[in-house]
Amino acid sequence: MPKPWIDRVKQSGQLTIFTGNLAGSWAHVFRQALHEFNTLCSAHRLGVRFIESREPAEKDDGANVSVQTADGTLSATFGNETRSRDFDGARLHGATLLFGRDAGVEKVFIFLPSQPQVSTPKGLRPAGPGVTKVIAAHELIHACGLDNSDHSNDDLFQGNPRVDAGDSAAGDKVLIGVGPKKMPPLYLSAATAKSIKDLWAR
């Protein structure tokens, strides 16, 4: 079920996001995903966009959203509430925790798999940037307020993505549904766009 942000954030039409915890390939790929997702936000007139912040989300007046990698156990705290759960850093999905009260979402913590793996005829290997970009953009949709129950089956918000592994990591793609179309480029369906737009309508 979609979860709206608190009115102050909703009226601003933007979510500030702290990316300072990312390093290596994830830092580069995530910024690409952020840029491309913002382009989709403008194209679909979703009413929200992401702005990078230098202030960690853990601070009361810090960013609305924080992102980092995880493997094993992930944990986030906002106010007096702490949530922890097991997390497999080799799988092709992230985890996004939304914190808030009755008035709406107040903070979001995104966790990306530290070393997502794809299966190939030669065995497992690290997923390429095409796959990790889709993972990142998927979690940005969750940060907008959509839940697992809102997953689609035909765009970047699909719940169980299937990977078309390339001859090398650079050729990895994510199938849209059962194919033959693939991502990247990132694709947002009309239905998912409407769900986000409805949450951010002012």
Side-chain angles (χ1 to χ4, degrees):
M1 183 179 196
K3 299 178 177 66
W5 277 80
I6 56 175
D7 192 62
R8 171 177 54 81
V9 174
K10 183 176 176 179
Q11 292 301 321
S12 75
Q14 66 180 37
L15 288 169
T16 54
I17 184 166
F18 179 72
T19 62
N21 294 320
L22 295 177
S25 61
W26 261 124
H28 177 68
V29 168
F30 191 84
R31 285 188 173 88
Q32 284 187 327
L34 200 60
H35 173 75
E36 294 183 28
F37 187 74
N38 276 341
T39 299
L40 288 174
C41 289
S42 296
H44 290 274
R45 299 181 179 180
L46 301 184
V48 61
R49 67 191 308 268
F50 286 86
I51 305 291
E52 283 201 64
S53 170
R54 295 184 179 182
E55 299 297 327
E58 288 77 7
K59 298 174 63 175
D60 287 341
D61 59 349
N64 305 127
V65 182
S66 177
V67 58
Q68 65 190 77
T69 58
D71 183 29
T73 301
L74 58 81
S75 180
T77 299
F78 177 64
N80 296 320
E81 182 181 6
T82 296
R83 297 185 205 166
S84 300
R85 55 182 272 195
D86 292 335
F87 184 74
D88 185 350
R91 295 188 66 184
L92 299 174
H93 66 79
T96 297
L97 305 181
L98 283 66
F99 288 82
R101 303 175 182 84
D102 292 342
V105 178
E106 296 178 58
K107 290 284 183 180
V108 165
F109 296 87
I110 294 174
F111 296 89
L112 302 170
S114 59
Q115 189 63 269
Q117 303 284 306
V118 297
S119 178
T120 76
K122 297 180 180 179
L124 291 173
R125 63 159 169 76
V131 173
T132 52
K133 183 188 294 186
V134 172
I135 294 171
H138 180 108
E139 298 308 318
L140 290 173
I141 293 179
H142 279 303
C144 289
L146 296 195
D147 189 63
N148 285 345
S149 62
D150 304 309
H151 278 154
S152 69
N153 56 18
D154 60 354
D155 69 354
L156 64 86
F157 200 50
Q158 54 197 7
N160 295 293
R162 297 173 56 191
V163 172
D164 181 18
D167 294 334
S168 67
D172 289 348
K173 298 274 190 176
V174 175
L175 294 173
I176 298 176
V178 296
K181 293 183 178 180
K182 305 171 187 177
M183 297 179 286
L186 301 182
Y187 170 71
L188 193 65
S189 70
T192 301
K194 183 179 185 304
S195 294
I196 300 172
K197 189 182 297 187
D198 288 349
L199 271 181
W200 288 85
R202 295 184 288 284

